[in-house]
Amino acid sequence: MSDLEEFQKEVGITDQVAVQGGRTHWNVGGSLGEGVRVVLPPVGIDSFDPSEMTVSVKAGTQIEDLNNELSIHRQEVGLEGTRGSTVGGALVVGRDSIRRNRIGSIRAMLLQAEYINAQGKIIKAGGPTVKNVTGYDLCRLLVGSLGTLGLISQVILRTRPLPEESIWLQGEASPKKVREACFRPSSLLWNGREAFVQLEGYGADVKSESSKLKKLGFQEQGKECPIEIPEFRHPSVSDINLEEGVVDVYNSIYYSSKEPKTLKHTDEVLRLGRRMREMFDPEGRLNPNRDPYKAGP
Ligand SMILES: Cc1cc2nc3c(=O)[nH]c(=O)nc-3n(C[C@H](O)[C@H](O)[C@H](O)COP(=O)(O)OP(=O)(O)OC[C@H]3O[C@@H](n4cnc5c(N)ncnc54)[C@H](O)[C@@H]3O)c2cc1C
């Protein structure tokens, strides 16, 4: 029996069940509650073709292990996370990186997903190449679903070249000034007083962009993000009091040490979400009590 079939057998066709990745975002969207079976997803890289720039990987593989393997061929996947985060966990939590301006959204990097549905069947959604999906894009619906629509066993992801050069700069200029000066920074953070800019790409391009920022008084800070990013994510709005926290300008996310209030959604959106969940999982087996609408931005 293959490890995918074993995973299918473990998920089974009865009881409430959830998949455990690295547990780094375990209670996002609500805690599971009592009596829910917890299963582990399969682990390992199935195939990687550097010239095709796609990788087939099992959902329980740690992002760090995957990126270590890809870096041998100077490639990466645009998934990030704290130590222990898994590919499947990052996809179903669905949070875009602060480097999204360079690496793209997490949805765009998922080409194909194989998952176990609430009836215990293996379903394949999407396709192994970039342009072969017709109809509804079911595969990407799984991104941000918190495992409520299906339990992911394996995915095919698009890879990207690793940047030749990567640096952070810090300086007292507004995000507007940075955007006017630079073509396309990978990240742009703002704490109300200073901007933190990540430049990535070919060495010559990074050098030329950084010289523009240095003329505005920016200073180079090395390869690591020079500012600590607080834990809680809020939608970024213009009247945020930036006494504390950091705005991720490109993603419109405000990171703060204060817990966010529950986001408000319209009744229509909530009704549609509820109906869709009931269609995928009429008996409420998959990741019960987790609610993607309570997960924050
Ligand atoms: C691009 C990007 C950048 C990020 N940057 C950061 C960062 O800088 N700092 C940070 O702290 N986090 C960051 N995150 C989030 C980080 O990747 C999380 O750690 C990750 O989302 C959770 O992975 P995990 O394996 O720990 O999941 P867990 O905490 O184990 O699980 C989270 C949820 O996913 C469900 N789940 C897990 N695996 C599966 C599966 N195979 N099928 C169905 N449901 C499943 C679980 O049941 C649970 O509901 C980033 C994420 C991305 C995508």
Side-chain angles (χ1 to χ4, degrees):
M1 192 186 282
S2 72
D3 48 1
L4 295 179
E5 286 164 342
E6 262 177 47
F7 179 60
Q8 179 188 23
K9 197 172 156 211
E10 273 190 54
V11 171
I13 54 170
T14 54
D15 316 332
Q16 295 186 317
V17 59
V19 180
Q20 175 181 307
R23 286 186 80 100
T24 65
H25 286 58
W26 187 240
N27 287 320
V28 168
S31 57
L32 276 182
E34 298 289 307
V36 180
R37 263 191 313 120
V38 174
V39 298
L40 296 177
V43 177
I45 299 171
D46 288 313
S47 61
F48 169 45
D49 183 348
S51 62
E52 288 290 330
M53 302 194 78
T54 59
V55 62
S56 172
V57 60
K58 297 196 179 97
T61 310
Q62 291 192 9
I63 294 170
E64 194 179 5
D65 293 341
L66 176 59
N67 273 328
N68 283 344
E69 185 64 29
L70 299 181
S71 69
I72 297 169
H73 299 273
R74 298 225 30 92
Q75 293 187 21
E76 63 175 342
V77 284
L79 300 178
E80 288 167 20
T82 38
R83 206 180 195 114
S85 311
T86 60
V87 168
L91 287 167
V92 302
V93 173
R95 294 185 172 168
D96 284 323
S97 164
I98 57 168
R99 293 172 67 224
R100 191 185 70 154
N101 221 23
R102 173 178 170 85
I103 61 181
S105 77
I106 184 164
R107 272 196 176 82
M109 72 192 71
L110 178 63
L111 298 177
Q112 180 179 291
E114 190 178 288
Y115 67 93
I116 315 297
N117 74 3
Q119 292 74 37
K121 293 201 172 114
I122 298 177
I123 310 286
K124 218 177 246 185
T129 53
V130 174
K131 282 191 180 172
N132 70 356
V133 177
T134 54
Y136 297 111
D137 201 344
L138 174 59
C139 156
R140 287 170 184 170
L141 193 58
L142 299 172
V143 176
S145 69
L146 290 181
T148 57
L149 305 180
L151 304 180
I152 302 180
S153 48
Q154 186 174 17
V155 291
I156 297 180
L157 302 171
R158 187 200 297 247
T159 64
R160 291 192 46 87
L162 273 177
E164 192 178 285
E165 185 62 85
S166 173
I167 55 162
W168 281 90
L169 294 102
Q170 176 174 354
E172 286 184 13
S174 68
K176 185 167 178 282
K177 279 255 179 305
V178 173
R179 293 170 96 151
E180 282 164 4
C182 291
F183 171 59
R184 201 170 160 192
S186 293
S187 313
L188 171 54
L189 308 176
W190 167 246
N191 70 0
R193 299 168 301 284
E194 289 180 295
F196 304 82
V197 185
Q198 187 182 31
L199 299 175
E200 294 184 300
Y202 291 113
D205 295 339
V206 168
K207 202 169 163 197
S208 134
E209 294 283 281
S210 70
S211 66
K212 292 179 201 161
L213 288 178
K214 282 175 186 169
K215 280 186 195 145
L216 295 175
F218 276 74
Q219 292 193 337
E220 242 179 84
Q221 301 294 329
K223 287 184 186 301
E224 302 300 325
C225 179
I227 184 170
E228 198 170 316
I229 301 178
E231 181 182 353
F232 297 111
R233 295 161 57 103
H234 305 243
S236 173
V237 290
S238 52
D239 61 351
I240 282 174
N241 174 7
L242 278 185
E243 286 302 306
E244 66 100 26
V246 185
V247 173
D248 172 355
V249 176
Y250 288 123
N251 282 324
S252 299
I253 301 285
Y254 168 48
Y255 288 88
S256 159
S257 56
K258 294 181 188 126
E259 255 187 270
K261 294 186 196 125
T262 307
L263 282 181
K264 288 200 173 23
H265 300 280
T266 63
D267 289 347
E268 184 58 15
V269 165
L270 293 174
R271 195 176 62 83
L272 271 174
R274 214 165 31 240
R275 284 180 58 193
M276 185 177 66
R277 190 166 176 177
E278 280 164 11
M279 275 192 279
F280 274 77
D281 181 14
E283 289 169 20
R285 289 192 64 213
L286 309 179
N287 258 310
N289 304 324
R290 307 255 206 246
D291 183 354
Y293 289 106
K294 291 191 181 147

